[in-house]
Amino acid sequence: MRIKVLTASILLAVCICGCAVRQPETTADADAFRLYWFSQEQDNAAGAIRWSAAGQDFMPDVDAAIQRCFSEAFRQPESASFLNGLSYTQCSADNGFLTIEMGDEYTLLTDSERTLADACITLTMLQLDSVQSVRIVGSGTENTYGTDSFLLQDNSAGVPEVSVSLYFAYGGSRLTRETGYFICGDPQQLPELTMQALLKGPHDQKHYSTIPENTQLLDVSVEDGVCTVILSNDFAEVDESGQRAVLAVRSITSTLCALDGIDAVRIQMPDGMGLQHASIGEPLRSEPQWIR
């Protein structure tokens, strides 16, 4: 689940324009207790509140819930850096009123960062039947939040969600699949979004990308079932070995050919140069034997 949290002070910080990627680990059971955390986008100007499930067998009380919030939710792989190391010194509950005193790290946050951290904590703790409001104390401030404190806007309510296959190298000379999720209202944007996700690399530590890290996506277009991808000249670094070049070309081809409406992929670089160890002169089609 990916949620925007909008308040007057952080509107610009969390608004997301166009389509947004949702990582697989957030596809948790909607009935499970949720641990909310904030993920920042690469440009550091936008992001979204996300959640992960604590597990169907997790029946939390206040102490267990807040410990999981600070020890797990704020340490998600893509959690914004300002959440890492965030701690609390004391937590007390009285007649539905939960008070959380924050640690020294809280004083280092900007106003917007504090608001986002408060939102994550509040959304997590208000799931408890015993908690009706949350007071967060720290950095010389004291704010109380309830169920109406944050306006939640879930893009998936009105915009279709699709999953895509991303193919990365695994072990030897074959590819393996990861699933990426997009909330996107314009299917024509999917090839570009899918390529950007492929360039970011895999989430599974057992998988690896053979595309050079500095490679930039310059353009992507689809015509008559052929997707033309123009990559920066950094892509030519794959020619350091035959296996890497072949896997990189197959990774791009298999990923894009998995999208509806794409039958073949043409890979180009601005200067028109080709590769020594892999053919990119003509459109390529994905082959089943490439995939493990």
Side-chain angles (χ1 to χ4, degrees):
M1 180 67 68
R2 183 171 183 137
I3 300 174
K4 291 181 185 178
V5 178
L6 304 181
T7 68
S9 64
I10 62 171
L11 182 61
L12 293 178
V14 299
C15 284
I16 302 176
C17 300
C19 301
V21 180
R22 183 172 69 82
Q23 303 300 340
E25 62 266 25
T26 59
T27 58
D29 193 317
D31 295 330
F33 188 83
R34 302 175 181 181
L35 302 171
Y36 288 89
W37 47 283
F38 181 71
S39 176
Q40 241 169 350
E41 300 300 320
Q42 280 191 331
D43 58 9
N44 293 321
I49 295 289
R50 302 186 184 189
W51 61 266
S52 59
Q56 285 288 0
D57 58 345
F58 182 59
M59 303 296 290
D61 55 19
V62 169
D63 289 338
I66 195 167
Q67 287 176 18
R68 290 288 291 270
C69 180
F70 281 85
S71 66
E72 181 176 327
F74 290 173
R75 286 160 178 79
Q76 293 288 333
E78 293 188 359
S79 180
S81 59
F82 64 83
L83 291 178
N84 295 327
L86 203 61
S87 65
Y88 69 99
T89 59
Q90 188 173 338
C91 174
S92 60
D94 183 22
N95 294 323
F97 191 78
L98 178 65
T99 299
I100 301 171
E101 297 183 16
M102 302 297 292
D104 293 338
E105 306 87 1
Y106 191 75
T107 65
L108 303 177
L109 303 184
T110 66
D111 289 343
S112 294
E113 291 171 345
R114 279 197 294 270
T115 303
L116 287 167
D118 290 357
C120 295
I121 297 168
T122 300
L123 292 170
T124 299
M125 302 307 295
L126 283 179
Q127 294 173 86
L128 300 175
D129 292 337
S130 60
V131 177
Q132 279 75 56
S133 63
V134 177
R135 181 174 66 180
I136 298 178
V137 181
S139 190
T141 64
E142 180 178 308
N143 294 294
T144 300
Y145 305 101
T147 56
D148 298 327
S149 295
F150 301 102
L151 174 63
L152 304 184
Q153 294 186 343
D154 184 356
N155 276 349
S156 64
V159 182
E161 177 182 277
V162 296
S163 62
V164 298
S165 297
L166 305 172
Y167 289 95
F168 298 100
Y170 178 83
S173 59
R174 301 177 76 183
L175 303 173
T176 191
R177 183 176 71 90
E178 285 192 4
T179 303
Y181 296 87
F182 298 88
I183 296 173
C184 184
D186 185 0
Q188 293 183 357
Q189 294 184 16
L190 277 178
E192 178 180 352
L193 292 169
T194 301
M195 268 304 302
Q196 293 288 8
L198 186 68
L199 292 177
K200 288 180 181 178
H203 293 282
D204 192 321
Q205 293 182 353
K206 296 179 181 178
H207 307 159
Y208 64 94
S209 175
T210 52
I211 301 173
E213 185 176 351
N214 295 328
T215 301
Q216 300 294 315
L217 178 63
L218 304 181
D219 190 36
V220 59
S221 60
V222 180
E223 184 175 355
D224 296 330
V226 177
C227 181
T228 299
V229 178
I230 303 178
L231 302 173
S232 64
N233 289 333
D234 303 279
F235 182 67
E237 294 177 14
V238 296
D239 254 343
E240 67 179 16
S241 75
Q243 178 169 292
R244 182 180 183 184
V246 169
L247 283 173
V249 169
R250 290 180 177 181
S251 172
I252 295 170
T253 302
S254 296
T255 295
L256 291 173
C257 281
L259 298 177
D260 290 340
I262 297 179
D263 301 316
V265 176
R266 179 188 292 113
I267 302 172
Q268 297 179 342
M269 287 177 281
D271 58 8
M273 67 184 296
L275 298 176
Q276 178 182 353
H277 296 294
S279 174
I280 58 173
E282 298 293 332
L284 301 170
R285 296 177 182 269
S286 181
E287 301 290 342
Q289 61 266 27
W290 296 352
I291 316 299
R292 63 181 288 270

